[in-house]
Amino acid sequence: MFSPEELHRYSKQLKLPEWNIQEQSKLASSTILVVGAGGLACGALPYLVSAGIGKIILIDGDSIDLSNLARQVLYSTHEVGQKKVKIALEKMSKLNPHCDLEGIEKNLTRENADELIAAVDLVVDCTDNFATRYLINDTCLRYDKPFVYAAIHSWEGLISLCNGDVFGEDRKGPTYRCFFPEEPGLDEIPNCDDAGVLGFLPGMMGIMQAKEAIYYLVAWASPANGALGRFDANEFSMRFFKMNRRANANTI
């Protein structure tokens, strides 16, 4: 299945005792949707692409702004004004030409979410707004798709593998609405434009998302699968809060 060049490319991970050609083949046969091409995606995308995932669809309608560059490290000063999806995929195609990359230069909406999410194995939520997070959650529920959620606020990051099989526990994990049942008002939780953020935090959380996506695609257990993880950058600590799935989780 893999060419000699691919085996050489993935040789370091294939030397891990726990990782073999079966795991690599699972990644190669997987298709994922990455929603958002901002700070989280700049951390997640390079490791998802370089790990050997077969197909990655990236959707985002934004253009690069100068204020993005302190945290969205896939982009450069001379690229300001260009579409994030276009630039991100140009760079990712050079990182691993064996990854099938598809870019959609628009936002995820109610009009396109069903078609996109129904066709993939996993969604990686790299968005920065609540409306899209709830749209991802509710659409994933309709099609029984897992998704990797992450968010940042000041010095804190959150992460979870939502709506997935909890490996080793024979249960279905909680959804995003199990953690946060109702969408907050516009003035309740400020975004990073208002609250501020240092660029390393979304990068770190994006790398964690890549780890969770890879683990789920090869059916490996993880503390973030079926729980909400809270990373405190000041304390450099991570705590996981396990939660059972709500009985009415599928009622949207």
Side-chain angles (χ1 to χ4, degrees), residues 27-47:
L27 291 190
S29 63
S30 297
T31 299
I32 69 171
L33 173 68
V34 178
V35 184
L40 292 169
C42 286
L45 273 173
Y47 293 96

Side-chain angles (χ1 to χ4, degrees), residues 90-102:
E90 282 178 359
K91 294 179 180 180
M92 292 303 98
S93 65
K94 295 175 183 177
L95 178 60
N96 188 352
H98 300 286
C99 182
D100 182 7
L101 298 168
E102 178 182 341

